[in-house]
Amino acid sequence: MRNLTRDLPKKSNGVLMGFGDVSIQLIERRSSGNSDKDGIDWYRTGRLFLIGLGLGPALHFWYKFLDKRLPGANALSVAKKVLLDISIASPICIAYFFIGTNILERRTWNDAIQELKQKFLAIFLVDIAVWPAAQTFNFYLLPPKYRVLYVAVLTYVYNMFLSGMKHMEDTADRLVDFVNDSIVKPFKRK
């Protein structure tokens, strides 16, 4: 049992990333009216499984690092962990996702950077809306050995969102346009 609680969280990210992708593919099929024609793109799911598999150990060591540098679960310690998580881990994970998926799709480095630039802000703003509350609960109430698993389970829904942003161009474009029109443009000087 001890090995399960130690190793499962690191490996579960891959499974949950893949499961999130299968779920969003089923939603895509239903919304497009092609529920009977197209099957699951297992190569796409496999790529996302590999991305998630790489993130699991990285998040495991990230949380260990945070716990070592900022021990305890008091309000100040938790606030610092959440701030570091959203300001350091979130941008790195977003970049890893888009660069990694583009490499696995055998696309060029420039394609990867272009897609990252196009979608980063919209995804990061969703991260800011979702993850601080989730991570406050994580750091404040959960024992360290369950943190990666907790985050992995929450990321199932988040992974559906990421897969949608990666593969549903119309949806991604609408969200990116909304962010640019509502948030970025008002702050630009004329």
Side-chain angles (χ1 to χ4, degrees):
M1 183 66 171
R2 184 176 178 184
N3 287 344
L4 181 64
T5 59
R6 187 187 72 224
D7 295 335
L8 181 63
K10 291 180 245 174
K11 296 174 183 166
S12 64
N13 263 25
V15 172
L16 290 169
M17 181 73 80
F19 188 55
D21 181 62
V22 168
S23 298
I24 200 67
Q25 285 189 57
L26 293 172
I27 292 168
E28 289 170 9
R29 285 173 47 199
R30 280 218 174 119
S31 67
S32 69
N34 291 333
S35 59
D36 293 331
K37 295 181 183 177
D38 301 324
I40 299 297
D41 180 348
W42 293 108
Y43 289 107
R44 168 181 150 174
T45 299
R47 288 188 296 268
L48 293 183
F49 168 79
L50 290 173
I51 294 297
L53 203 59
L55 278 175
L59 291 172
H60 170 78
F61 290 113
W62 170 247
Y63 295 136
K64 281 184 92 163
F65 169 80
L66 288 178
D67 284 335
K68 185 175 183 181
R69 295 290 181 200
L70 301 164
N74 60 59
L76 182 59
S77 177
V78 169
K80 288 178 182 178
K81 288 176 187 177
V82 169
L83 181 63
L84 288 171
D85 192 60
I86 199 70
S87 62
I88 295 172
S90 181
I92 290 171
C93 288
I94 295 168
Y96 172 82
F97 176 82
F98 282 104
I99 292 170
T101 54
N102 275 278
I103 288 170
L104 291 172
E105 291 169 350
R106 297 181 182 194
R107 295 177 66 195
T108 68
W109 179 257
N110 288 338
D111 289 342
I113 297 304
Q114 182 61 34
E115 184 175 26
L116 178 62
K117 285 180 180 178
Q118 177 192 8
K119 297 176 180 177
F120 178 84
L121 183 59
I123 292 171
F124 186 65
L125 290 173
V126 170
D127 280 11
I128 290 171
V130 170
W131 289 110
Q135 291 295 52
T136 299
F137 175 83
N138 186 18
F139 294 128
Y140 195 67
L141 296 174
L142 290 180
K145 68 181 180 181
Y146 296 116
R147 289 187 180 153
V148 173
L149 184 59
Y150 164 77
V151 170
V153 170
L154 287 178
T155 56
Y156 161 68
V157 173
Y158 181 76
N159 291 340
M160 289 173 49
F161 163 73
L162 277 180
S163 182
M165 286 296 289
K166 172 73 181 153
H167 298 104
M168 296 171 67
E169 291 303 321
D170 291 341
T171 302
D173 289 345
R174 284 196 302 268
L175 182 58
V176 169
D177 289 345
F178 172 78
V179 168
N180 285 332
D181 293 342
S182 303
I183 298 169
V184 176
K185 285 181 184 174
F187 289 102
K188 286 186 174 180
R189 293 183 183 170
K190 294 185 179 190

